[in-house]
Each structure stands twice: as structure tokens, then as C-alpha cells.
């Protein structure tokens, strides 16, 4: 009797304990978040999984489709009537898929297959929420898991310095001095004052970050237009390096130098209402890759903030180090 029982038990575990179901791996609310670099050929991967205690015994073709209804339901759930913050469908020219069908191979030790999606995040606005909604349209065999047949691929941008998946802050120390433009020459009108704060850093290109200049703070209620007009871009050169003198703890030049990458600071948008920037050619900005540290030196003026004072063109000279 014992021998018969053990034999039956072994046969039982050889068979399926629960039905095979095919689904897309995702998290809560069927969201799958993925970061993409600014490489035009950046690739994301979705996992198409088959549940079950034994491998499938035949190839299964899984076909996906785009599903805008998923995005509509997500926006109603997450944002209700706050239409300004609705997530956007990833623009068609920002992604590509070689084929909407993929095959789960019979006998494969791994119970999943990876579905590739090429995404180009260049030109996307960091504050916007971009989603690519997908569903399993059909399978050639077995069943589709009704609760996990959909996925909302949420797109995030990243480079070496920051990511949009989380809010990245750098510690900033430095100085600022008010100046006035006198026929093309910036002249001091106030003494230099110290700065010390944290700054939100956002990736904007493969080698560029977006920050607010000097001590300008981000207003939580400000519009995207306001943020665009106030922001500057610090772009790290990949070809131009400069020798930066090493300063001792006592503030003396040691005679040693370290190689740093030159940085150019520019407005995010070039309009009459946007921030204006002047780099210091004699004291260039730079990035220290060993420390992960930006040293920025520039002059800026925001027309909407500074205005015209006694017909003077008021600027701010900034020397800041962000770590």
C-alpha cells in the first residue's frame, strides 16, 4: 500500500498542479516602470511569463497590442479630473517594436520570454508622465491570465548624473554677486554673498542636466511654462578637458592639477522671457567625474524676476559647487 501511495504521489507532482496561464510581469495596477538612457537605440524589456509547475510541451506564440483604454482608466484612477497631470501616450516617433508577436519555447528551463521595445527619450519633457499601454491580444495555446494580461510601461529618463524615476538632489555651496551691465561690461553693485542649499537635478540629454540658477527655488504650484523659462542646462563636454588646480585645506594652490570635463551653461529655452546666461570664458565651469561634482561659474538674469531697475540690466554672478 505504501509503495502504491508513493508512486501515485510522484505521478501527481509530474502533472500540472494548476492550469497554465500566460501573463505580463508587472507591479501594482499593472504598472512596469523602466529607465531609459538618451541613447537612440535604448532597449526596454517586458517579461511574458507562463505560470505552472511543469514546462510547456509546445511552442506558444503570444501577440501583444496597444490598448489606449488602459491609459484612460489609469488617468481616471490616478488623476480623476486633474487633466493637466494626465499621463500621456508615448509619442509614436519615440518607440519602435520589431514584431508584436513573440514565442515561448517548449521545454525551455526558464518559464518566460523577453519582449524588446526600443525607446528614444530624447526630446521628452521630464515633468510629463509617459506611458506605453499594452495588452495580450492572443495566445496560440493555453490561457491568458485575465488580471495580468495588461501592462502600463512607464517611461523614465536617466543619464550618468540623474534620473526622473526619483527626485535627485545635489548639495550646493557657493557665492552670488549682483552686477549691472554697463555697455557690455558687468560691474559689481553689491558685495558677494554666500549660498547654501539643495538643488533638484533633472536629466535632460545624454550629458546634460537641468537646474534652476543660483538660489532660484522651484514653486510647487508653478506651471511647466514658468519652469522652462527659469531653468538652465549644464552640459558636460566629452571631448574638452581642463586642468583644475588642487587647493590645499589651507586654501593654497598646491601646484598639482586634476583633469575635469568642461561644462557649458545655457538657457533651457531661448526666448525673450527666458533666463539669459553668460558663461565666464576666463573661469570655465567643469565636472569632476571622480567626485561626481559640478563646479559652475556663470552670470544669469531672469527678466520676469529681475525686471529693469533704474534702467539698469541687473545680473547675478554665480560660483557654485554641486555634489
Amino acid at each position: 500500500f505504501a509503495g502504491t501511495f508513493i508512486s501515485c504521489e510522484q505521478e501527481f507532482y509530474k502533472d500540472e498542479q494548476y492550469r497554465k496561464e500566460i501573463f505580463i510581469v508587472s507591479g501594482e495596477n499593472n504598472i512596469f516602470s523602466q529607465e531609459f538612457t538618451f541613447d537612440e537605440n535604448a532597449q526596454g524589456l517586458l517579461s511574458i511569463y507562463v505560470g505552472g509547475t511543469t514546462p510547456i510541451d509546445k511552442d506558444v506564440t503570444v501577440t501583444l497590442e496597444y490598448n489606449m483604454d488602459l491609459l484612460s482608466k489609469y488617468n481616471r484612477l490616478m488623476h480623476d479630473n486633474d487633466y493637466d497631470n494626465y499621463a500621456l501616450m508615448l509619442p509614436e516617433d519615440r518607440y519602435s517594436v520589431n514584431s508584436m508577436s513573440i514565442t515561448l519555447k517548449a521545454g525551455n528551463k526558464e518559464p518566460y520570454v523577453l519582449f524588446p521595445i526600443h525607446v528614444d527619450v530624447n526630446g521628452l519633457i521630464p515633468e510629463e508622465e509617459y506611458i506605453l499601454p499594452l495588452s495580450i491580444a492572443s495566445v496560440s495555446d493555453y490561457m491568458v491570465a485575465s488580471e495580468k494580461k495588461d501592462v502600463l510601461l512607464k517611461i523614465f529618463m536617466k543619464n550618468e548624473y540623474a534620473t526622473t524615476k526619483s527626485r535627485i538632489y545635489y548639495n550646493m555651496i557657493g557665492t552670488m554677486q549682483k552686477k549691472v551691465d554697463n555697455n557690455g561690461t558687468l560691474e559689481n553693485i553689491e558685495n558677494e554673498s554666500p549660498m547654501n542649499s539643495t538643488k533638484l537635478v533633472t536629466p535632460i540629454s545624454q550629458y546634460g542636466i537641468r537646474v534652476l540658477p543660483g538660489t532660484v527655488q522651484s514653486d510647487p504650484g508653478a506651471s511647466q511654462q514658468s519652469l522652462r523659462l527659469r531653468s538652465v542646462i549644464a552640459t558636460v563636454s566629452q571631448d574638452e578637458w581642463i586642468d583644475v588646480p588642487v587647493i590645499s585645506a589651507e586654501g593654497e594652490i598646491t601646484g598639482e592639477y586634476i583633469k575635469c570635463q568642461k561644462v557649458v551653461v545655457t538657457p533651457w529655452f531661448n526666448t525673450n522671457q527666458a533666463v539669459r546666461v553668460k558663461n565666464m570664458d576666463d573661469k570655465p565651469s567643469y565636472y569632476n567625474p571622480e567626485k561626481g561634482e559640478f563646479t559652475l561659474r556663470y552670470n544669469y538674469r531672469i527678466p520676469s524676476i529681475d525686471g529693469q531697475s533704474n534702467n539698469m540690466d541687473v545680473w547675478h554672478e554665480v560660483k557654485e559647487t554641486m555634489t
Side-chain angles (χ1 to χ4, degrees):
F1 172 80
T4 302
F5 177 81
I6 292 171
S7 176
C8 290
E9 185 179 38
Q10 290 172 340
E11 288 299 320
F12 171 79
Y13 282 108
K14 286 180 182 177
D15 295 332
E16 192 63 52
Q17 291 189 48
Y18 56 92
R19 66 188 183 191
K20 286 182 169 57
E21 289 189 333
I22 296 168
F23 59 92
I24 306 173
V25 176
S26 62
E28 187 177 359
N29 295 320
N30 290 339
I31 295 171
F32 183 71
S33 301
Q34 196 155 9
E35 295 172 296
F36 293 87
T37 66
F38 290 85
D39 181 350
E40 293 180 358
N41 297 314
Q43 179 175 268
L45 296 168
L46 293 175
S47 290
I48 312 298
Y49 200 94
V50 57
T53 57
T54 59
I56 54 176
D57 55 10
K58 63 186 74 173
D59 289 355
V60 180
T61 299
V62 182
T63 301
L64 303 187
E65 65 180 357
Y66 304 113
N67 188 344
M68 283 298 295
D69 286 342
L70 295 178
L71 185 57
S72 298
K73 292 176 182 177
Y74 170 83
N75 279 325
R76 289 195 297 271
L77 174 66
M78 302 301 293
H79 303 295
D80 195 20
N81 294 325
D82 185 9
Y83 302 114
D84 289 341
N85 286 318
Y86 265 33
L88 304 177
M89 174 77 174
L90 184 66
E92 289 185 7
D93 62 348
R94 297 293 91 189
Y95 69 91
S96 63
V97 175
N98 293 334
S99 172
M100 295 299 285
S101 297
I102 199 163
T103 301
L104 286 156
K105 291 293 186 180
N108 196 337
K109 291 189 296 183
E110 302 294 345
Y112 65 87
V113 64
L114 297 176
F115 182 87
I117 302 173
H118 297 278
V119 175
D120 180 5
V121 297
N122 287 280
L124 298 184
I125 303 298
E127 282 64 49
E128 295 286 8
E129 186 179 9
Y130 296 97
I131 286 178
L132 189 61
L134 293 157
S135 296
I136 296 177
S138 66
V139 294
S140 62
D141 213 320
Y142 302 113
M143 299 183 65
V144 176
S146 59
E147 297 299 317
K148 300 294 287 183
K149 66 183 180 65
D150 306 317
V151 66
L152 294 155
L153 178 60
K154 189 176 287 191
I155 309 299
F156 293 99
M157 298 173 278
K158 71 172 183 178
N159 59 18
E160 182 181 343
Y161 322 106
T163 176
T164 60
K165 192 172 184 179
S166 59
R167 294 174 71 85
I168 303 298
Y169 289 91
Y170 279 51
N171 291 320
M172 182 273 283
I173 59 172
T175 62
M176 185 165 63
Q177 189 171 30
K178 257 188 181 179
K179 294 177 174 283
V180 63
D181 190 341
N182 185 6
N183 295 321
T185 301
L186 296 182
E187 299 177 351
N188 299 338
I189 58 173
E190 286 185 3
N191 292 329
E192 197 173 68
S193 58
M195 299 188 300
N196 189 343
S197 69
T198 57
K199 300 189 81 165
L200 178 64
V201 174
T202 304
I204 199 69
S205 65
Q206 188 170 3
Y207 303 113
I209 57 170
R210 189 196 66 197
V211 294
L212 287 169
T215 56
V216 176
Q217 296 296 312
S218 176
D219 181 359
S223 65
Q224 287 192 25
Q225 178 70 6
S226 175
L227 180 65
R228 294 174 191 178
L229 294 177
R230 293 170 176 229
S231 297
V232 299
I233 307 299
T235 302
V236 181
S237 172
Q238 300 304 294
D239 303 319
E240 197 168 355
W241 294 71
I242 59 176
D243 292 323
V244 177
V246 177
I247 308 298
S248 69
E250 293 75 26
E252 298 179 353
I253 297 177
T254 63
E256 298 179 346
Y257 294 85
I258 55 174
K259 291 283 187 182
C260 292
Q261 294 167 279
K262 185 177 179 180
V263 172
V264 176
V265 181
T266 57
W268 188 16
F269 278 78
N270 286 308
T271 69
N272 292 332
Q273 294 77 37
V275 61
R276 294 162 59 191
V277 175
K278 294 181 180 180
N279 288 272
M280 302 181 193
D281 294 333
D282 57 332
K283 296 179 180 179
S285 302
Y286 57 87
Y287 175 71
N288 185 330
E290 291 186 7
K291 292 184 177 181
E293 183 178 86
F294 287 86
T295 297
L296 305 180
R297 299 166 172 168
Y298 59 95
N299 295 279
Y300 79 90
R301 177 179 180 273
I302 302 178
S304 59
I305 294 178
D306 299 321
Q308 296 290 333
S309 176
N310 298 323
N311 295 321
M312 294 190 300
D313 197 5
V314 179
W315 290 74
H316 304 271
E317 180 179 284
V318 171
K319 300 173 186 176
E320 60 183 345
T321 298
M322 301 191 310
T323 306

